[in-house]
Amino acid sequence: MQRKELRALKRIYATPTMRRIAQDNKLDKPIVYKYSWHKYTYSTKYDMMLRCQSRGSILMIAVFFPDDVAKGFKYPVYEIYCNPKGCEYITRERNPEDGKEIRWTNALVFNLERIDTIRFFDYEPDLKIRKRTIWQNNDGKKEIKQFLGTNMSGLEGLIEYQHRCKLYSIKKAEEKEQEPWDEELALTPPVLKGFERWSKHEAMNENFIFYESIHSPTGYCSYCEKEVPLIKPKRNGEGKCPCCHKKITFKLRSKIKGLRTRAISTSCIQRIEGGYVVRTFEVHSAYRNATYDKPDWSFIEYQRTFMYSDGRITTYEYETYKNKYLRFCKQESKLPYEYYNRKIKLYPRNLSLLKKSVLRNSAIDLWPILPYSPAKYLYVEKGNPAIEMLAKIKLFGLAKEIIKTGYDKNLLNQDETELAKMLKIDNARLKRLKNMTPTLVTLKWMQYEKLANTIWPDDMISEFGQNEIEVSELNFLPKPIKYMKVYNYIRRQQILSGETFKQTFITYRDYYCLAERNKWNIASTQISMPKNLEQAHMNAILFSRGTSIKNQTEKLEKEWPLCNKILPDLKKYECSNNEYSVVAPVCIEDMVREGIALNHCMDHADFYYDRIQQREAYPFFLRKTNQKDMPWYTLEVEASGNIRQKRTTGDNQNPDLEPAIPFLYEFMEHFKQVMNAEEIKQGIKADKKRKEEYKKLREEQKKVWHGKLAGQLLADVLEADFMQTI
């Protein structure tokens, strides 16, 4: 319907009869309706007045309101134009006083501003009573029903028609959206012969032998699909089929009701016009009512990814379309969603044929286990030729790491066509790399070796690479660094200490930095590389704390002058029962004594004192009630009352803390009960700051360098130690 043509149609105006009825619209006595806790009061007979006339193929419905008509306004507020042949409608809103056009809208009649509040759309009164509040002559009601082809008449007929139009327009929009999908999905060829059987047998992880009793001479093998000799079966025990030699589980036939295998995913790649499609299926079997020889197989396709030679990629998932029905729906992401912990097994039997055409430049057939889904692997491999080349020389570990890190121009040179040059090394080093189990760090050591124009032993490069110790991590040493000498020293100390190579390296780095901070003569080999690293490391720690408690306290008091003013206020949070007590320090000296006694960092780590001054977190001492003077555990309590850390000797947490956990929850409850309004605000601020700190630590991938938790992410350790009340 064209608005220009609709404006040219003959108008409908209010009649004298309508004006007379509108002027006499008041009820003698208002009607009151109660519905639930609502109360409705009506003092008029009619809420709305309708007139309708046909204009060729258009039905024109004029909507008036009694208040406007009573004032002598002849123009309708709304003009609704209905075209049954086109299954469409549109509404023009006008000013009832002068008839000027305000706007056009496609809103349903009960969503129009002045209509949605009338009592016709209230839950109460009864529908029959509500119908009487709409004035329209009987001929007009019948015309709406007849012209629009509805079951209802009058306003109800108009509502029915508009709903029909809405459903029709939605259907047309959905068909328009789905049309290109169906065209592309139609390119999918039939399922490969043998793929379904391969998925149900070769790809399945679970096979069974079903037996009648332990005295039966034979049992039914789910893989062989026949009776096989039975050898010492044990219900739910594992064994091997004497025929197919597959690993099986013994199942008693009378006890298999409800037996169902775990679902697995299998994929096949099929050629299509201009490219190929990767199809993924979910497969499982169910044995119900002892039907051991006729399982219910489920073989359902849930994903298709179309990949074209021009680089276009489209993915479809079998899912509910707009909560209506199941079908393949196009996804916003061009690559398929990677389901958590779901490995996809690729059908290998047609890959040799595909290698001659669409997969001629891929090494997908060489991988024993793909690092990603086949579609994602093919996409990543196409953008990074080094992956294909590494797979062809069986360096799958290095290829997998490159896939997961993405293309790095500092690591690879994509402009080269030879693998060695692409990896920024030479052929001799590539040959050495093949004889190792290389990682990305191994490759970086090789690249640095080439830049340094030297040759280092393969054992050294391999050890640093396997332990993810990059060249830059040795920069704490003075230049020029003698890497071979450092490697040999760490290997010797590893044997002496019994620690891992990585942990020994961390200990050495920590020792060297402490020795440098202590202003020791690290130019001397006796100092920089002590005979017993573990003992030297401990001596360095003790030396760094060698100043007297008084000197250390004075130093901290000078640096953090507000701490001694804040700490006495913590006394109100102290808590105790028959077994445990939480004691608050009253000065910095108490904290220094605690740190030295328990050999952790409270006596020298600046961040504890900074958090006190910022009123973000406070120290408390967990003691046994009968030994309040003996240091046991140190707590760091957030200003919100939650416990951030709890540490004892050597910054550890031992099993003896477990019985005290319920008491710590009592302490946190007590802490929150005695907080004032200002302290509550500080707690909210501290909680927000802690979350931001954890997020930053996780982004920076910072790790714990020594102790029992060495190698773990610092954010994980802190979050695991965090305690809060509900």
Side-chain angles (χ1 to χ4, degrees), residues 263-266 280-282 302-303 338-345 372-373:
I264 64 164
S265 292
T266 60
T280 308
F281 296 74
E282 184 179 88
Y302 67 87
Q303 201 175 78
E338 294 279 331
Y339 290 92
Y340 173 72
N341 207 24
R342 177 178 284 187
K343 299 294 183 183
I344 299 176
K345 297 186 177 182
Y372 286 128
S373 67

Side-chain angles (χ1 to χ4, degrees), residues 41-261:
T41 303
Y42 303 104
S43 58
T44 58
K45 298 176 185 177
Y46 301 108
D47 294 334
M48 190 169 69
M49 309 179 88
L50 299 180
R51 286 193 70 198
C52 66
Q53 292 178 5
S54 60
R55 300 285 188 264
S57 63
I58 304 295
L59 180 66
M60 183 176 174
I61 303 172
V63 180
F64 303 85
F65 292 94
D67 290 346
D68 299 331
V69 176
K71 295 176 184 177
F73 301 158
K74 64 178 183 177
Y75 300 102
V77 176
Y78 300 108
E79 290 176 346
I80 304 173
Y81 303 91
C82 302
N83 177 18
K85 290 183 179 179
C87 200
E88 56 184 338
Y89 68 91
I90 193 168
T91 301
R92 176 163 69 154
E93 184 178 351
R94 304 178 70 181
N95 188 325
E97 188 172 354
D98 54 16
K100 288 184 179 180
E101 182 181 298
I102 298 175
R103 62 173 182 146
W104 293 82
T105 179
N106 288 312
L108 295 167
V109 63
F110 51 75
N111 286 331
L112 296 172
E113 186 177 356
R114 290 190 63 179
I115 295 180
D116 68 349
T117 57
I118 68 172
R119 77 185 104 166
F120 183 87
F121 300 106
D122 289 341
Y123 291 104
E124 290 290 341
D126 184 80
L127 180 60
K128 291 181 180 179
I129 300 173
R130 286 187 276 150
K131 286 182 180 179
R132 295 179 196 150
T133 64
I134 310 298
W135 181 91
Q136 186 180 19
N137 59 43
N138 289 329
D139 290 340
K141 292 179 181 180
K142 290 177 182 178
E143 186 170 12
I144 288 177
K145 180 178 180 179
Q146 183 179 357
F147 200 98
L148 301 181
T150 60
N151 296 320
M152 309 298 289
S153 60
L155 181 61
E156 288 180 300
L158 174 60
I159 294 171
E160 180 187 339
Y161 170 77
Q162 288 188 332
H163 273 298
R164 189 170 73 208
C165 292
K166 282 290 184 185
L167 291 174
Y168 178 79
S169 63
I170 290 171
K171 183 181 178 183
K172 284 294 182 185
E174 290 176 355
E175 289 175 353
K176 185 177 180 181
E177 181 184 33
Q178 294 177 19
E179 185 177 354
W181 300 359
D182 293 332
E183 288 177 1
E184 188 168 33
L185 290 167
L187 298 173
T188 308
V191 176
L192 288 166
K193 270 188 178 181
F195 172 59
E196 183 173 352
R197 180 170 178 79
W198 175 85
S199 297
K200 293 177 179 178
H201 290 78
E202 302 297 333
M204 286 291 287
N205 297 321
E206 298 174 273
N207 294 296
F208 308 98
I209 285 183
F210 301 100
Y211 64 97
E212 190 70 38
S213 75
I214 58 173
H215 304 295
S216 301
T218 62
Y220 183 86
C221 176
S222 62
Y223 181 84
C224 300
E225 295 185 339
K226 66 179 182 181
E227 294 286 331
V228 299
L230 193 62
I231 304 171
K232 295 182 181 179
K234 183 180 180 182
R235 185 185 169 195
N236 297 328
E238 294 183 349
K240 279 190 177 182
C241 173
C243 293
C244 62
H245 304 292
K246 292 284 185 182
K247 185 179 177 181
I248 57 90
T249 302
F250 290 106
K251 292 290 181 181
L252 194 62
R253 292 178 186 177
S254 60
K255 300 289 185 181
I256 63 171
K257 295 180 181 179
L259 175 63
R260 185 181 184 275
T261 61

Side-chain angles (χ1 to χ4, degrees), residues 391-439:
K392 286 180 177 177
I393 59 173
K394 301 190 183 308
L395 291 181
F396 298 110
L398 181 56
K400 187 175 180 179
E401 286 199 45
I402 291 175
I403 288 173
K404 291 188 174 181
T405 54
Y407 175 66
D408 183 352
K409 65 181 181 181
N410 295 319
L411 184 72
L412 303 173
N413 187 351
Q414 289 276 37
D415 296 331
E416 296 292 343
T417 54
E418 293 181 21
L419 180 59
K421 293 180 179 178
M422 195 177 291
L423 297 177
K424 297 185 178 180
I425 56 178
D426 51 39
N427 288 326
R429 287 182 171 87
L430 179 59
K431 187 176 180 180
R432 290 165 57 200
L433 204 63
K434 283 193 220 175
N435 297 325
M436 304 178 189
T437 306
T439 65

Side-chain angles (χ1 to χ4, degrees), residues 669-687:
E669 290 287 352
H670 168 71
F671 189 103
K672 294 184 178 184
Q673 287 174 5
V674 299
M675 292 170 69
N676 58 37
E678 182 61 31
E679 290 164 345
I680 291 172
K681 290 180 182 178
Q682 291 166 357
I684 294 170
K685 185 178 178 182
D687 184 74

Side-chain angles (χ1 to χ4, degrees), residues 255-480:
K255 300 289 185 181
I256 63 171
K257 295 180 181 179
L259 175 63
R260 185 181 184 275
T261 61
R262 289 184 294 272
I264 64 164
S265 292
T266 60
S267 277
C268 67
I269 304 173
Q270 293 179 263
R271 188 176 177 181
I272 60 170
E273 185 181 348
Y276 53 89
V277 58
V278 183
R279 306 174 67 182
T280 308
F281 296 74
E282 184 179 88
V283 188
H284 74 268
S285 62
Y287 300 85
R288 300 183 179 89
N289 300 321
T291 56
Y292 63 90
D293 56 341
K294 294 179 181 178
D296 295 328
W297 280 103
S298 174
F299 181 69
I300 300 171
E301 186 176 7
Y302 67 87
Q303 201 175 78
R304 286 183 196 172
T305 302
F306 294 86
M307 309 184 80
Y308 299 95
S309 55
D310 60 4
R312 289 182 296 123
I313 300 176
T314 314
T315 293
Y316 295 86
E317 293 268 359
Y318 193 72
E319 61 188 16
T320 304
Y321 177 73
K322 297 185 177 178
N323 293 324
K324 294 180 180 179
Y325 48 84
L326 288 168
R327 63 152 293 145
F328 276 103
C329 301
K330 186 177 180 180
Q331 304 299 299
E332 291 184 8
S333 173
K334 61 183 180 180
L335 286 176
Y337 175 74
E338 294 279 331
Y339 290 92
Y340 173 72
N341 207 24
R342 177 178 284 187
K343 299 294 183 183
I344 299 176
K345 297 186 177 182
L346 179 63
Y347 183 61
R349 295 179 183 172
N350 70 327
L351 292 180
S352 58
L353 187 63
L354 293 171
K355 287 283 290 182
K356 297 176 183 178
S357 54
V358 290
L359 296 182
R360 64 171 60 91
N361 295 322
S362 175
I364 192 170
D365 58 315
L366 302 177
W367 285 79
I369 300 175
L370 286 173
Y372 286 128
S373 67
K376 186 170 182 180
Y377 171 80
L378 289 166
Y379 170 76
V380 175
E381 183 190 51
K382 188 174 181 180
N384 196 340
I387 295 167
E388 176 202 350
M389 296 180 183
L390 288 168
K392 286 180 177 177
I393 59 173
K394 301 190 183 308
L395 291 181
F396 298 110
L398 181 56
K400 187 175 180 179
E401 286 199 45
I402 291 175
I403 288 173
K404 291 188 174 181
T405 54
Y407 175 66
D408 183 352
K409 65 181 181 181
N410 295 319
L411 184 72
L412 303 173
N413 187 351
Q414 289 276 37
D415 296 331
E416 296 292 343
T417 54
E418 293 181 21
L419 180 59
K421 293 180 179 178
M422 195 177 291
L423 297 177
K424 297 185 178 180
I425 56 178
D426 51 39
N427 288 326
R429 287 182 171 87
L430 179 59
K431 187 176 180 180
R432 290 165 57 200
L433 204 63
K434 283 193 220 175
N435 297 325
M436 304 178 189
T437 306
T439 65
L440 278 181
V441 178
T442 310
L443 176 59
K444 290 177 181 178
W445 273 97
M446 282 284 190
Q447 291 173 344
Y448 187 70
E449 183 192 65
K450 184 175 182 293
L451 286 173
N453 194 24
T454 186
I455 299 292
W456 290 316
D458 290 356
D459 289 346
M460 184 193 91
I461 294 176
S462 181
E463 191 80 64
F464 280 135
Q466 288 296 318
N467 287 281
E468 297 184 347
I469 301 172
E470 298 198 26
V471 179
S472 59
E473 292 189 57
L474 277 76
N475 286 343
F476 64 91
L477 296 168
K479 302 293 188 295

